[in-house]
Amino acid sequence: METKRPKFSSTEDIGSSVLEVTVPTQLSGDDAALARLGKKPVLKRSFGFVTILSFSCTILITWEASLFVFVSGLTNGGPAGIVYGYIVAWVGMICIFLTLSELVSMAPTSGGQYHWVSILSPPSIQKFLGYITGWLQLTGWQAIISSSGLLTGTLIQSLILLTHPEYGNRMQNWHGTLISWAIILLNYTINTSFSTAFAKFEGIAFIFHILGFFAVLLPLVLLSEHATAKEVFGTFLNLGDWQTQGLSFSIGIAGTVFALLGGDGAMHMAEEIRNPAIVLPWSLLATLLVNGTLGFGMIIALLYCLGDIDAALAEDAHYPFMPILRNALGSTAGAAVLSSLVVVMTFTAVTGALASTSRIYWAFARDRAIPGWQSLKKTSKRTSIPFNAVTTTAVLSIILSLINIGNATAFNGVISISIAGLLGSYLIAACVLLYRRLTGGIREPNDGDNEVNRIGADLCWGPWRIRGALGVIINILTIVFLVFFLFFSFWPTSRIVTPQNFNWAVLVTTVVFLFSVIYYFVWARKVYTGPVIEV
């Protein structure tokens, strides 16, 4: 049932961070909670617990991603390194999601990390730190759209290669790029044309996500030959020729982190969720439970059923899981059908990621933080969708994918910023939360709170949080895990660095950081004053 939106009249002062808005008293509970944060309700709330859980699970697509990121773990860590590295990454992500859940319960807005950093940071660096965080999360999510679109395109290429091996002689980078354009444009159409059915679309995708897991797992396990337990749980490899096995293991964990990355995507849909302060934390933890379990199950099954991995890599170096499936089933057609399920799920991940990224653009523009904010903050009168923000996200994704035509290795820089950008924004948010927690800067909520968790107002906890010393421990563990993941995400896969294995993360992250700092001091500080108080 759709809630009728009250009409707002507002007078905007460009030089101020305050908008005078007449707020009717008949606001719904969710919209009133958003108004207390200083934000005007604009977007339609069409998501509940099940649909936002579906949205979150189908963005992460952990078991699907595990099928093609395991190769990096084989190089650095080996089968045993992949298993134990997955456990480390899973535990780390649980701590990270617990901390993010506390934050989103305090202030469930589409701005996410940059809004939380803006209100929790010390006043002297509030504006600057919030702005830098916003750019990190924005570029991270924009990179996810470009890389996931290209990932789907190249998966389709590998599917063609599986069924028509002669395609390998004429396979070109630009083929995958053009397919990725079609993927992005189709997802753009879904995001802009089917607003009322979007939540239902995510629910259907979630069903495919669960059923697809069993459709791939059962034939793989039942029909293939199996390795021994010692080969899976006791074999460590250091093919990157690092000084120690521990260093090799730490570098190889990056693939698993990528498979569990993107949980904050649902958070950026906060203003379209009913009762987000409660629903979002529980849905995020349920996502980690569901996806983490499915991903771990698929990893164990895959490692037991690898067969001749060298032959699989020789046939398809990018996605060897396809020839592995064919060898297990003894059927090219069967492997093609199962691989198609993975392609479908990567497509739905692009759908959700496009929605989340556009909401970040919209929220950042609403606070006058990016060029063209006057246009990007507008929403469709018919659907309430931030149409211009969705268009910008799609167009930039297509432009970034052009890099792959010129040099596929250089495009790795786009992929790397997705990890560094998101982990960096998580880290800053976790640090300022711990700072406020230890200094007693966050109080218990009161029934009479009308203005909280906004610039210049009191900070209070949301209805979902971890109390006492356990909360402090979780926050500290979050920071430790994030520093560990972020540090090793910058390392190359081999000690001997070549243009092919060079890790572009350091360079690209540094460029993004320097650009945002320079842009802030040259232009943004004159118009950006932190999250705008609209109500």
Side-chain angles (χ1 to χ4, degrees):
M1 182 176 179
E2 185 179 316
T3 304
K4 272 191 146 183
R5 290 275 170 207
K7 293 183 178 179
F8 293 83
S9 60
S10 62
T11 304
E12 183 172 347
D13 177 7
I14 301 299
S16 168
S17 64
V18 179
L19 300 174
E20 295 179 3
V21 181
T22 303
V23 185
T25 57
Q26 67 270 24
L27 282 174
S28 69
D30 291 333
D31 289 347
L34 184 61
R36 283 195 290 272
L37 302 176
K39 293 302 179 184
K40 180 174 68 173
V42 174
L43 307 179
K44 294 180 180 178
R45 296 188 183 272
S46 56
F47 286 89
F49 174 79
V50 174
T51 47
I52 201 62
L53 171 65
S54 303
F55 181 93
S56 188
C57 283
T58 53
I59 282 186
L60 261 67
I61 56 167
T62 305
W63 74 259
E64 298 90 338
S66 298
L67 289 171
F68 44 80
V69 300
F70 80 96
V71 177
S72 64
L74 276 181
T75 302
N76 288 296
I82 293 175
V83 173
Y84 304 125
Y86 190 98
I87 295 172
V88 171
W90 194 7
V91 171
M93 281 297 174
I94 290 173
C95 292
I96 293 167
F97 275 45
L98 285 170
T99 295
L100 293 178
S101 294
E102 290 188 301
L103 288 163
V104 77
S105 185
M106 287 179 62
T109 75
S110 297
Q113 295 95 299
Y114 92 83
H115 183 98
W116 307 329
V117 171
S118 296
I119 63 173
L120 291 169
S121 299
S124 58
I125 57 172
Q126 232 170 16
K127 190 168 71 168
F128 174 74
L129 203 56
Y131 188 80
I132 297 300
T133 304
W135 271 104
L136 284 174
Q137 73 180 59
L138 183 59
T139 52
W141 271 102
Q142 182 63 70
I144 283 180
I145 292 293
S146 299
S147 55
S148 58
L150 188 62
L151 169 68
T152 308
T154 53
L155 276 169
I156 292 173
Q157 278 187 289
S158 285
L159 194 56
I160 298 171
L161 182 65
L162 177 70
T163 54
H164 297 84
E166 67 276 9
Y167 173 62
N169 297 323
R170 56 180 185 275
M171 194 172 179
Q172 299 292 330
N173 288 346
W174 63 267
H175 296 172
T177 302
L178 289 181
I179 297 172
S180 75
W181 290 3
I183 298 296
I184 291 170
L185 289 174
L186 184 54
N187 275 289
Y188 169 78
T189 303
I190 294 172
N191 268 268
T192 55
S193 303
F194 304 102
S195 61
T196 55
F198 188 68
K200 294 179 181 178
F201 173 85
E202 293 296 331
I204 294 171
F206 181 62
I207 294 172
F208 271 92
H209 177 61
I210 300 298
L211 296 181
F213 168 78
F214 293 103
V216 173
L217 182 79
L218 293 178
L220 179 65
V221 172
L222 296 176
L223 299 178
S224 66
E225 295 182 2
H226 296 165
T228 65
K230 183 178 180 181
E231 288 174 323
V232 174
F233 296 101
T235 303
F236 289 91
L237 298 175
N238 181 9
L239 302 181
D241 195 29
W242 296 101
Q243 290 86 341
T244 66
Q245 183 62 58
L247 181 57
S248 177
F249 168 84
S250 299
I251 294 169
I253 206 172
T256 302
V257 172
F258 181 78
L260 292 165
L261 194 66
D264 63 306
M267 297 181 182
H268 302 300
M269 306 296 289
E271 295 178 40
E272 297 164 70
I273 301 171
R274 294 183 291 274
N275 194 18
I278 293 292
V279 165
L280 265 173
W282 286 118
S283 66
L284 290 172
L285 296 179
T287 296
L288 263 189
L289 177 63
V290 172
N291 271 25
T293 302
L294 297 184
F296 190 64
M298 187 59 72
I299 282 291
I300 297 297
L302 186 63
L303 292 176
Y304 265 103
C305 305
L306 275 181
D308 189 346
I309 184 61
D310 292 327
L313 286 168
E315 184 174 338
D316 190 337
H318 297 292
Y319 306 111
F321 78 90
M322 292 189 185
I324 290 172
L325 286 174
R326 187 199 56 213
N327 295 336
L329 274 64
S331 167
T332 299
V337 171
L338 297 185
S339 299
S340 297
L341 291 175
V342 178
V343 173
V344 169
M345 291 315 304
T346 57
F347 176 88
T348 62
V350 179
T351 309
L354 181 60
S356 293
T357 308
S358 66
R359 281 14 175 221
I360 299 173
Y361 272 107
W362 172 74
F364 219 24
R366 178 174 60 179
D367 293 329
R368 312 184 197 123
I370 51 178
W373 58 267
Q374 296 94 332
S375 175
L376 289 172
K377 73 173 185 176
K378 294 179 180 178
T379 57
S380 167
K381 294 180 180 179
R382 182 178 63 87
T383 63
S384 296
I385 290 174
F387 183 85
N388 293 344
V390 178
T391 302
T392 300
T393 305
V395 170
L396 287 178
S397 299
I398 289 174
I399 292 173
L400 286 173
S401 68
L402 290 171
I403 299 172
N404 185 65
I405 296 178
N407 190 324
T409 303
F411 188 77
N412 291 334
V414 177
I415 299 174
S416 63
I417 191 60
S418 64
I419 299 176
L422 292 192
L423 293 183
S425 67
Y426 297 167
L427 179 60
I428 297 173
C431 287
V432 294
L433 175 63
L434 181 63
Y435 158 73
R436 288 292 186 180
R437 190 171 216 143
L438 294 177
T439 56
I442 310 175
R443 63 170 174 80
E444 294 293 333
N446 298 319
D447 292 336
D449 287 333
N450 291 320
E451 298 179 3
V452 293
N453 297 338
R454 56 165 80 177
I455 296 291
D458 286 351
L459 298 173
C460 71
W461 291 107
W464 196 101
R465 74 173 172 114
I466 304 170
R467 297 178 180 274
L470 182 59
V472 175
I473 293 171
I474 292 295
N475 292 166
I476 292 174
L477 287 175
T478 295
I479 294 170
V480 171
F481 276 115
L482 283 170
V483 170
F484 174 73
F485 294 154
L486 193 59
F487 177 71
F488 283 106
S489 72
F490 294 140
W491 287 59
T493 55
S494 176
R495 188 164 61 92
I496 301 173
V497 181
T498 65
Q500 287 70 39
N501 65 23
F502 179 74
N503 191 331
W504 294 82
V506 174
L507 176 62
V508 177
T509 304
T510 302
V511 169
V512 169
F513 179 79
L514 290 177
F515 170 80
S516 59
V517 170
I518 294 171
Y519 190 75
Y520 174 81
F521 284 107
V522 171
W523 179 83
R525 65 186 178 89
K526 301 173 185 176
V527 295
Y528 175 73
T529 55
V532 170
I533 300 173
E534 300 174 311
V535 178

